[in-house]
Amino acid sequence: MKKFSIPKYFLVFILLSISLFAEESKIDSLISLPYDQIVSEPKKLIPQLLSVLEDNETTDKYKNAKLYSNLALAYSSISDFANYRKAAIKAIKLFEETNSELDLTLEYGLFGFHLRRTNIERAKYYMQLSIKLGEKNNFINELRGIYDNYGVLLEFTNDLDSALYFYKKALDIKYTLSDSIGIPYGLNHLAGLYARQYGRSIHMYGRIR
């Protein structure tokens, strides 16, 4: 009886397919890492992210952008701000090339907020890009945090009236979304600002609203 044999090229094809599938699974798992895991295990994850990016294991620009975004977050969480900026800029460029407006809204906002202590004009520029994109697409979930951060930036520059305006915009979204965690956070922003600007308590804002 004739023995059945599998051609060598077919075996090679199967092995290559398995290898590619494993690499894609690894890349996808690094892309989908939750925020809490990235900021709690940055030193473990940074080498893994760098390995995938440096070996060019994916030619998908969007996937590379997400990997750089996670890498930037990991660097930021260990206060390695030089490498954070490099990774964030690469993520932004790739998100721009892929017209990923939701991701750009977030990345512009984070990068702008990061720059507030070193380059206030560039910080405003990126945060305004973030707000413009967010408002264009009605990304209200993202805008509540971006408005808050822009308010912090404006308060940092002593532009208190404008900071108040954005704190209120953020808080209005939080009330609309019944954001039980974000509302106290937003009220705390207003309390601090009223204490500086008007010397009155947050209870006044609550009654007016």
Side-chain angles (χ1 to χ4, degrees), residues 103-116:
D103 296 287
L104 274 175
T105 299
L106 293 168
E107 210 68 44
Y108 283 150
L110 290 170
F111 191 58
F113 191 65
H114 163 77
L115 292 174
R116 71 192 183 283

Side-chain angles (χ1 to χ4, degrees), residues 15-39:
L15 291 172
L16 283 174
S17 297
I18 292 170
S19 176
L20 288 171
F21 179 77
E23 288 301 330
E24 282 301 312
S25 296
K26 177 184 175 183
I27 290 166
D28 291 341
S29 68
L30 288 171
I31 287 171
S32 61
L33 286 168
Y35 173 90
D36 290 344
Q37 185 177 351
I38 296 173
V39 299

Side-chain angles (χ1 to χ4, degrees), residues 17-165:
S17 297
I18 292 170
S19 176
L20 288 171
F21 179 77
E23 288 301 330
E24 282 301 312
S25 296
K26 177 184 175 183
I27 290 166
D28 291 341
S29 68
L30 288 171
I31 287 171
S32 61
L33 286 168
Y35 173 90
D36 290 344
Q37 185 177 351
I38 296 173
V39 299
S40 64
E41 301 178 337
K43 291 182 179 179
K44 172 185 174 183
L45 294 170
I46 286 171
Q48 296 179 41
L49 289 160
L50 285 173
S51 175
V52 169
L53 288 163
E54 290 173 355
D55 292 343
N56 295 314
E57 290 180 7
T58 176
T59 56
D60 185 311
K61 287 185 177 182
Y62 181 72
K63 286 188 176 184
N64 275 325
K66 296 292 284 186
L67 290 167
Y68 275 117
S69 180
N70 285 350
L71 181 62
L73 176 58
Y75 278 131
S76 177
S77 68
I78 57 171
S79 301
D80 185 347
F81 297 126
N83 279 318
Y84 160 77
R85 287 189 288 272
K86 290 177 184 177
I89 288 169
K90 287 180 179 178
I92 286 171
K93 287 181 178 178
L94 289 167
F95 283 138
E96 287 174 341
E97 290 176 15
T98 53
N99 296 312
S100 308
E101 295 196 341
L102 175 59
D103 296 287
L104 274 175
T105 299
L106 293 168
E107 210 68 44
Y108 283 150
L110 290 170
F111 191 58
F113 191 65
H114 163 77
L115 292 174
R116 71 192 183 283
R117 296 187 184 277
T118 57
N119 190 331
I120 198 65
E121 293 308 313
R122 294 302 287 173
K124 287 182 178 179
Y125 169 76
Y126 279 105
M127 293 216 72
Q128 287 165 5
L129 285 179
S130 175
I131 289 169
K132 184 178 179 181
L133 267 183
E135 291 178 343
K136 169 191 166 186
N137 293 284
N138 197 33
F139 295 144
I140 60 171
N141 281 318
E142 291 71 28
L143 281 169
R144 57 182 158 171
I146 294 164
Y147 286 151
D148 260 336
N149 285 346
Y150 195 49
V152 171
L153 185 151
L154 293 167
E155 190 174 356
F156 183 73
T157 63
N158 216 35
D159 187 354
L160 301 186
D161 287 338
S162 296
L164 178 63
Y165 172 78

